[in-house]
Amino acid sequence: MKKITLSLILLIASFTYAQTVPDSLSTNPQTQQNAAQRILSGNINTGVTVGGYGEITYNQPEADNGELDVQRLVLLFGYKFNDRVQFVTEVELEHVEEIFVEQAFVQYSLTDNVNLRGGLMLVPMGITNEYHEPTTFNGVERPSIDKSIVPTTWREIGFGVSGRLDNVSLRYQAYVFNGFKSVNGSKVLGGSNGLRNGRQKGIQSTVDSPNFAAKLDYYGLPGLRLGLSGYFGRTQAEDEIEDIDGTSVGISMIGLDARYAYKRFTARGQFIHASISDTEDYNTLNSADLGSALQGWYVEGAYNLLPQNKEQQLFAFARYSDYDTHASVEGALVKNDAYDRDEWTFGLSYKIAPGAVVKADYQFFNYATDEDSPNQLNIGLGVWF
């Protein structure tokens, strides 16, 4: 294994009229917030809120060169017009050279428990797609399931409703979005990344049929949060070819997730299954290899090695993941065992202060083929404020 001395300095300056101090050491899944929730709840008075998060990573595969990367630097802006109307946006710089808008939506609060939303929003599926700030998950890299199947960061333009029903301990979300694009430039769906190439990300998005997404989170038991997600619809075809067989596929995706915290112990798990219809026609038309089912799951346990209630936390964790973007195939397509993967990740997450984390882990990869898979060492710095 090559040795490398890594010296990185991250300087992020921000000005705010109304800034809340993040409680990034909180491990209670019932009270944990993501960036948008923190902005929405932190604007006590009218005015502007500014924040951000960022990640710098070092990935060292076995027997190959390592890679250093400013994976992302995200600037968060919120504006509270009055007691009912707020605006939230995230502007993301990836790999120092690419700029995306990750969220940009307006929320109108009808009551304390009913909020209307419209704009570019995260699709509520699983855990990491909504909670992907670097201090909210263990491991330098996001779980592989949340790259290949969900796929994080998954956001589209839409509108809908969100809120809480505290009398039954439920948080709910329901939105109508534009869907994945069937053919995104030169990119098609399929392969090891499933639906990932179809994300439109709010960039001159095409729509021919609306898609529906919803999630329920139950928080009625101490330290436990349970999630049920659903996404249903079709991919979006170009107008001039939408009547040809294979120009779109149907998607039915279900997700189950759980997060738990007790004293110094935390655990989480997730299961995702996506059923894809009309893949035989789609693959024939586009020379693609999209599976008719995508499926994956993981379980993770972590323990804080430092005394409880200290300003710092040092979590040792282990995560096992199993995921397959060819869980089933249709027609003449032959199942590709290279898309059937599992992995172990062992590591440490050292939260040196609220909002700042140093991470290190080692990943053991295994494919359902006879080929050896190179394992990988990862080291990272993360901030969220």
Side-chain angles (χ1 to χ4, degrees):
M1 182 70 65
K2 297 179 180 179
K3 294 183 179 179
I4 184 170
T5 302
L6 175 62
S7 179
L8 301 168
I9 300 175
L10 178 65
L11 178 61
I12 305 172
S14 66
F15 174 76
T16 177
Y17 293 102
Q19 176 77 43
T20 59
V21 178
D23 182 18
S24 298
L25 290 178
S26 174
T27 57
N28 187 345
Q30 296 183 336
T31 59
Q32 190 178 55
Q33 294 180 313
N34 58 32
Q37 291 168 338
R38 182 167 290 162
I39 289 174
L40 290 168
S41 64
N43 281 336
I44 299 174
N45 302 309
T46 57
V48 176
T49 300
V50 178
Y53 64 88
E55 295 174 277
I56 300 174
T57 59
Y58 167 50
N59 305 115
Q60 177 61 68
E62 288 183 348
D64 201 352
N65 288 343
E67 179 183 87
L68 295 164
D69 187 23
V70 181
Q71 275 210 12
R72 56 186 54 88
L73 177 62
V74 180
L75 303 178
L76 308 167
F77 300 94
Y79 190 84
K80 187 172 184 178
F81 298 93
N82 55 44
D83 289 340
R84 292 186 180 274
V85 182
Q86 296 187 71
F87 174 70
V88 173
T89 189
E90 296 186 31
V91 180
E92 179 172 6
L93 293 86
E94 292 187 359
H95 315 297
V96 188
E97 62 180 1
E98 299 175 300
I99 300 177
F100 296 99
V101 177
E102 191 160 292
Q103 296 191 78
F105 67 86
V106 173
Q107 174 167 297
Y108 179 79
S109 298
L110 291 174
T111 70
D112 291 340
N113 299 317
V114 181
N115 306 296
L116 302 180
R117 289 184 180 181
L120 182 64
M121 300 179 292
L122 299 174
V123 177
M125 176 60 63
I127 300 173
T128 308
N129 202 54
E130 292 189 278
Y131 297 85
H132 51 254
E133 298 79 8
T135 60
T136 64
F137 64 91
N138 290 312
V140 175
E141 301 294 333
R142 297 168 181 176
S144 296
I145 294 168
D146 293 301
K147 296 179 180 179
S148 298
I149 298 180
V150 170
T152 302
T153 301
W154 182 12
R155 71 275 192 187
E156 298 294 352
I157 296 174
F159 64 91
V161 62
S162 68
R164 299 170 66 98
L165 301 173
D166 288 331
N167 57 329
V168 290
S169 303
L170 279 179
R171 177 175 180 250
Y172 65 88
Q173 300 178 78
Y175 307 109
V176 174
F177 290 105
N178 66 269
F180 292 103
K181 200 168 185 179
S182 299
V183 178
N184 202 353
S186 61
K187 297 179 180 179
V188 297
L189 309 180
S192 63
N193 290 323
L195 301 167
R196 189 174 187 87
N197 285 341
R199 296 175 303 163
Q200 300 199 65
K201 307 178 186 179
I203 304 172
Q204 296 180 318
S205 303
T206 186
V207 57
D208 62 27
S209 61
N211 285 230
F212 177 74
K215 186 173 186 185
L216 293 175
D217 286 288
Y218 176 72
Y219 48 90
L221 299 174
L224 180 66
R225 187 171 186 135
L226 301 173
L228 171 63
S229 312
Y231 178 88
F232 309 95
R234 296 192 68 85
T235 59
Q236 315 295 283
E238 297 292 345
D239 291 341
E240 64 271 17
I241 61 171
E242 62 183 5
D243 293 330
I244 301 175
D245 290 341
T247 57
S248 69
V249 297
I251 302 172
S252 297
M253 185 182 294
I254 296 292
L256 301 171
D257 63 78
R259 286 170 281 174
Y260 180 70
Y262 178 73
K263 295 184 178 179
R264 289 193 281 172
F265 173 76
T266 65
R268 62 171 55 190
Q270 179 171 292
F271 171 83
I272 303 290
H273 178 87
S275 178
I276 316 296
S277 61
D278 305 315
T279 57
E280 184 175 4
D281 289 335
Y282 177 84
N283 289 332
T284 299
L285 180 66
N286 297 289
S287 301
D289 62 348
L290 178 62
S292 58
L294 321 175
Q295 182 169 292
W297 60 274
Y298 72 79
V299 291
E300 175 188 300
Y303 188 78
N304 179 18
L305 301 177
L306 299 180
Q308 197 174 3
N309 299 324
K310 296 294 184 181
E311 275 209 10
Q312 296 184 337
Q313 295 174 328
L314 178 60
F315 279 97
F317 76 94
R319 179 172 64 237
Y320 177 76
S321 304
D322 187 293
Y323 57 107
D324 188 356
T325 51
H326 267 187
S328 66
V329 297
E330 286 184 347
L333 181 64
V334 177
K335 178 177 169 61
N336 190 337
D337 287 338
Y339 300 158
D340 184 0
R341 293 149 284 182
D342 66 79
E343 62 191 54
W344 280 98
T345 304
F346 300 94
L348 297 170
S349 296
Y350 183 24
K351 296 187 177 182
I352 56 178
V357 63
V358 179
K359 301 179 182 183
D361 62 63
Y362 198 82
Q363 293 183 292
F364 298 87
F365 299 107
N366 181 54
Y367 300 164
T369 62
D370 295 331
E371 297 180 5
D372 291 333
S373 306
N375 301 324
Q376 182 165 293
L377 170 69
N378 306 299
I379 300 173
L381 301 176
V383 296
W384 180 22
F385 57 90

